[in-house]
Amino acid sequence: MLASPLNGAVASDLIELRGGIGAVPGVRMAGVHAGIKKRKSDLAVIAFDEPQYCASVVTTNEIKAAPLVVSAEHLAATGARARALVCNSGCANACTGERGERDARATARQAAALLGIATDEVVVASTGVIGVYLPMDRVAQGLERAVRKLEAGSAAAHDAAEAILTTDRVPKLAARAFYAGERRYVVGGIAKGSGMIAPNLATMLAFTATDAPMSLDELQRELAAASDETFNMISVDGDMSTNDAVYAFAPRGDGGPPEGFAAALRAVTRDLALAMVRDGEGATKTLTVELTGAETTAQARAIARAIINSNLVKTALFGEDPNWGRIVAAAGSARAGLDPHAWSLTLNGKPWVDRGALEILSEAEAHRELEEASVCVGLDLGIGDVAATAWGCDLSRDYVRINASYRT
């Protein structure tokens, strides 16, 4: 029930690959244990054989971590050209003042020296506890080991994907290949995120790459559109972090991407986004909200996000409580122009409530549907022909347990 059509895509034209970003030619990766965390790997390096354009979408939080500030400076200085990315987990390097920015710059500077590139060609990212300084001696030693271990392929990508995790239970990788004429291209990515996930980016990092050349403007446009349809349409708990970023890398070109790139990028970002929902902290169920009958895309997305982001909806899902009033109350809270007399609800494809008043599915039947591990709620606004899809999960007792002791 988590799948949804890709706008403008023909599924048969895309080839699903293993290895995430490791499936993309010209990319080398490594993940190591630097000692930022006690036991698990915590430092990833991604390096490109040739200069890349780098597009970005970052958190809308007014407090932005030092790595975001420094990376923005680097991309501005180079015209958004990059050759490498360094990401650590276990420490967000957020709310760390001038020292935090110095540490982020020092990380980039050492990585650049080890790789033989310019400091401004390195993008840096961090995830973990806020208000803690990076242990730079450990980062330095970890960088040396990571650069020595750089390799192409699926295994190296898996190591890098593991090194960026925090409370995630599993690494997240996705890749698609497509043909433009006789030429085969690949889009691949890795991501992390399982808590502090809310629409408009949250505690998530995603790094994608392709061997399809294009202009920076086109890459930025495609990344923003893909993020709007995928990363910005998921929710675990409704909280937003300080470090969230999506970076997309592509060989430098002069025009638009090859036909098929947009569909491949959306497929990869959707896979990564849904992997975050499935891996939500303490999650026992996933929820798909299929919003139809809207007048505009903005309206459809706003209402779908309001539902998926509602803690009352999430807790009802966990308790398998067929309280459809919570769903429509959340929809109305978006204040996006819902007609209170025109909407209808379905549950796993079965008519549930018609025209805002008539309950069709009995409470016992609705409860049985909510026992499923994957639940799909359809809301037809009945006022237009525009649709949107959002994805989320339940909010369980385990979520409280995990986050009550996240730092300690």
Side-chain angles (χ1 to χ4, degrees):
M1 301 299 292
L2 280 175
S4 73
L6 291 170
N7 291 346
V10 180
S12 60
D13 292 341
L14 301 177
I15 304 163
E16 188 170 0
L17 303 177
R18 298 183 64 182
I21 200 170
V24 181
V27 186
R28 294 174 296 143
M29 302 129 294
V32 300
H33 177 234
I36 304 169
K37 296 191 290 193
K38 289 183 179 180
R39 298 179 185 85
K40 297 180 179 180
S41 59
D42 50 23
L43 186 68
V45 176
I46 301 172
F48 300 91
D49 293 345
E50 301 294 335
Q52 307 283 301
Y53 277 137
C54 176
S56 60
V57 177
V58 303
T59 183
T60 56
N61 198 313
E62 291 181 346
I63 297 178
K64 291 180 172 57
L68 292 183
V69 174
V70 171
S71 293
E73 291 175 353
H74 288 185
L75 294 174
T78 62
R81 294 188 301 274
R83 288 289 303 274
L85 180 144
V86 177
C87 179
N88 75 271
S89 60
C91 173
N93 193 14
C95 300
T96 47
E98 292 182 4
R99 175 176 166 180
E101 293 188 16
R102 288 199 304 271
D103 289 345
R105 293 189 182 95
T107 299
R109 186 165 56 249
Q110 184 188 2
L114 292 168
L115 293 166
I117 60 177
T119 298
D120 287 348
E121 292 181 307
V122 180
V123 173
V124 287
S126 298
T127 182
V129 179
I130 294 171
V132 176
Y133 296 121
L134 277 172
M136 290 306 295
D137 55 338
R138 299 177 185 179
V139 171
Q141 294 173 8
L143 280 172
E144 292 180 359
R145 292 199 302 274
V147 170
R148 287 197 300 266
K149 285 185 62 178
L150 285 171
E151 291 184 356
S154 178
H158 191 276
D159 288 345
E162 280 197 323
I164 67 175
L165 304 182
T166 50
T167 57
D168 309 58
R169 292 171 292 187
V170 296
K172 299 163 180 64
L173 305 91
R176 294 289 193 283
F178 65 97
Y179 282 87
E182 297 297 317
R183 177 70 189 271
R184 182 178 186 263
Y185 295 101
V186 178
V187 179
I190 61 173
K192 65 80 53 180
S194 61
M196 289 184 82
I197 299 290
N200 282 329
L201 297 186
T203 302
M204 56 156 288
L205 296 172
F207 312 131
T208 70
T210 183
D211 57 344
M214 68 196 76
S215 70
L216 175 62
D217 287 345
E218 289 293 327
L219 179 62
Q220 183 65 52
R221 183 177 66 82
E222 293 294 351
L223 177 63
S227 296
D228 279 344
E229 290 187 16
T230 57
F231 296 130
N232 286 345
M233 297 299 290
I234 61 173
S235 177
V236 169
D237 51 18
D239 277 311
M240 178 187 294
S241 185
T242 56
N243 292 59
D244 319 316
V246 182
Y247 292 108
F249 300 87
R252 293 177 295 174
D254 295 326
E259 185 178 356
F261 171 76
L265 180 62
R266 281 165 173 75
V268 168
T269 58
R270 184 195 61 182
D271 283 357
L272 296 175
L274 297 187
M276 295 180 205
V277 168
R278 294 188 184 100
D279 199 23
E281 290 176 344
T284 68
K285 297 177 183 290
T286 55
L287 174 65
T288 300
V289 173
E290 295 180 347
L291 197 292
T292 58
E295 293 181 305
T296 66
T297 298
Q299 180 190 49
R301 289 178 177 174
I303 294 175
R305 284 196 298 257
I307 296 170
I308 215 73
N309 210 32
S310 166
N311 285 338
L312 289 179
V313 171
K314 293 173 184 294
T315 51
L317 180 65
F318 173 69
E320 299 169 356
D321 179 17
N323 189 347
W324 55 263
R326 291 184 173 182
I327 297 170
V328 296
S333 73
R335 295 181 293 180
L338 183 151
D339 183 338
H341 305 293
W343 60 267
S344 298
L345 274 178
T346 62
L347 181 58
N348 294 339
K350 298 180 179 180
W352 193 3
V353 183
D354 185 50
R355 300 295 175 90
L358 180 61
E359 186 170 5
I360 299 170
L361 203 62
S362 71
E363 186 165 320
E365 291 172 312
H367 177 76
R368 283 195 294 270
E369 295 297 327
L370 291 170
E371 291 177 338
E372 299 293 329
S374 295
V375 174
C376 180
V377 169
L379 173 59
D380 182 359
L381 300 186
I383 55 177
D385 57 5
V386 178
T389 304
W391 302 270
C393 60
D394 59 348
L395 203 58
S396 71
R397 298 179 183 90
D398 277 345
Y399 175 87
V400 176
R401 177 186 58 78
I402 291 166
N403 284 282
S405 57
Y406 179 73
R407 181 164 174 146
T408 56

